[in-house]
Amino acid sequence: MTPTLFSYNQLFSFTKAVFRGMGCPEADATLATETLLSADLRGVDSHGVARLIGYVRLWEAGRINATPRIGVTYETPSTAVVDGDGGLGLVVGPRAMQVALEKARQVGTGWVSVKNSNHFGIAGYHAMQALALDMIGIAMTNASPLVAPTYSLERLLGTNPIAVAVPAGEQPDFVLDMATTTAANGKLEIAQRKNLPIPEGWAQDAQGTGSTDANAVKNGGALLPLGGATGSHKGYGLGAVVDIFSAVLSGANYGPWVPPFVAFLQPSANPVGQGLGHFFGAMRVDAFRPADEFKAHMDNWITTFRQAQAVDGKSVLIPGDPERETSAVRLIDGIPLLEPVLKDLETVGSKFGVKL
């Protein structure tokens, strides 16, 4: 299946027009588009424009508020709880991260837990907002319950990603952005579009047996925590921490009560909180040591690891390298979209009179 290339600007104009068609104010539509397309630029195709139809369906189902009144409901000098008022996570997330950054600017660190939000795109986008300010950024979110904890047949957790962005000096910044599962559900969706099997260790079927069927989760199975057959308890533990920080702390739904991203599945009739949750952190580097001194040592750290002796045909990468390199290429060559994604975008465009 050969993908079709589209320029970033072309996809930006289309996506923004769709968000405007949903009723988002100009500034929110622009922010949501930037947040969403950051995934496509960085090569995380599972979380970019391919997800646009999902947001539209949730909006049509009345589960996304296009004009939210996002606000702080509780705070101390270094912490806050933000209520997203059911808004797009693509907008709620960046606004909440700004709260964390401002608190870090004032007192050294800022920690924000969010409730009443929706899917916020890639975690890395939010964490990276700290870099230009010489801060370390942290972003987490809980997600649709598609993951079985170790030994479980029930789906109780989401892919619950963690992102950490650390500024460097002359070297590219360190950006870790990872799911706490072996693979994100979006990777299964890509395999479904390509009609390909998935690697062992990604999912189990409804009976708890490992499966290479890309439709295993759709058919009652579950995604598996990071760590595989011998270490999934570690991924389970990390996913649990994300769930607690994002939702138990804020008052969002957690565990099996997290509202699903897909519109055809209804949220729990007995929710334990509001919407889904995020967690953001910002730490001013100069609250620990002079920023230039820190970044010089980060350069040394990065160079040391990058120059490590590697196995034949390989090189040691720094978290963020593949995404940064992909972004540079796609800004010039365009962003590839598979035919099933194009069809979804045509469907979306027809709803709002927008052409790609």
Side-chain angles (χ1 to χ4, degrees):
M1 185 180 295
T2 303
T4 304
L5 294 174
F6 291 86
S7 72
Y8 176 80
N9 288 338
Q10 190 175 4
L11 288 179
F12 195 99
S13 296
F14 175 85
T15 304
K16 180 180 175 181
V18 170
F19 285 130
R20 289 289 283 149
M22 290 168 57
C24 295
E26 174 76 16
D28 285 5
T30 299
L31 179 57
T33 300
E34 178 183 308
T35 307
L36 185 66
L37 293 188
S38 69
D40 294 294
L41 273 184
R42 293 177 67 77
V44 191
D45 297 330
S46 56
H47 284 58
V49 73
R51 288 269 171 110
L52 183 58
I53 193 169
Y55 294 106
V56 171
R57 286 172 175 163
L58 287 177
W59 170 73
E60 289 175 328
R63 289 172 51 192
I64 284 181
N65 178 6
T67 55
R69 299 181 66 177
I70 302 166
V72 173
T73 61
Y74 183 87
E75 66 180 326
T76 71
S78 62
T79 67
V81 172
V82 167
D83 187 329
D85 194 27
L88 280 165
L90 303 168
V91 174
V92 177
R95 297 276 164 78
M97 186 61 183
Q98 288 303 312
V99 175
L101 293 170
E102 178 58 23
K103 287 185 175 294
R105 187 188 67 79
Q106 293 181 6
V107 299
T109 67
W111 305 96
V112 175
S113 196
V114 180
K115 64 180 178 179
N116 207 5
S117 186
N118 284 283
H119 190 281
F120 76 176
I122 58 170
Y125 172 85
H126 308 285
M128 290 172 67
Q129 302 310 300
L131 295 173
L133 302 174
D134 280 349
M135 295 186 191
I136 295 170
I138 299 171
M140 309 177 192
T141 185
N142 65 6
S144 306
L146 299 174
V147 182
T150 304
Y151 305 134
S152 175
L153 289 176
E154 293 187 58
R155 305 192 305 200
L156 299 176
L157 287 172
T159 53
N160 294 11
I162 299 172
V164 179
V166 183
E170 299 299 322
Q171 291 294 320
D173 300 318
F174 175 107
V175 182
L176 172 71
D177 187 357
M178 54 170 263
T180 53
T181 48
T182 306
N185 187 53
K187 299 292 178 65
L188 272 69
E189 293 171 348
I190 292 173
Q192 291 162 16
R193 294 182 194 118
K194 294 181 177 181
N195 196 28
L196 295 173
I198 57 174
E200 292 183 5
W202 282 22
Q204 67 184 29
D205 62 22
Q207 289 72 47
T209 303
S211 176
T212 58
D213 181 1
N215 293 294
V217 177
K218 275 187 173 182
N219 296 329
L223 292 172
L224 294 175
L226 182 67
T230 59
S232 68
H233 59 288
K234 297 180 179 180
Y236 167 31
L238 288 171
V241 167
V242 172
D243 202 32
I244 293 166
F245 279 27
S246 299
V248 179
L249 199 57
S250 68
N253 288 292
Y254 47 83
W257 291 279
V258 175
F261 180 71
V262 292
F264 61 83
L265 292 177
Q266 292 300 310
S268 170
N270 300 293
V272 292
Q274 294 176 284
L276 59 72
H278 318 308
F279 184 80
F280 301 104
M283 297 185 287
R284 218 173 62 212
V285 168
D286 67 4
F288 297 87
R289 67 189 300 188
D292 288 344
E293 181 180 290
F294 170 84
K295 291 195 290 185
H297 279 279
M298 274 303 299
D299 284 347
N300 185 46
W301 189 97
I302 290 169
T303 300
T304 300
F305 278 72
R306 200 186 300 283
Q307 294 177 349
Q309 185 175 355
V311 298
D312 288 344
K314 300 291 184 180
S315 59
V316 177
L317 299 176
I318 303 302
D321 279 352
E323 295 88 348
R324 175 176 49 81
E325 293 165 4
T326 298
S327 181
V329 170
R330 290 187 172 187
L331 278 172
I332 297 173
D333 295 345
I335 294 169
L337 300 181
L338 294 171
E339 183 62 28
V341 175
L342 286 178
K343 289 181 179 178
D344 282 348
L345 294 183
E346 289 173 0
T347 300
V348 167
S350 67
K351 295 177 183 291
F352 302 102
V354 182
K355 290 188 177 180
L356 185 59

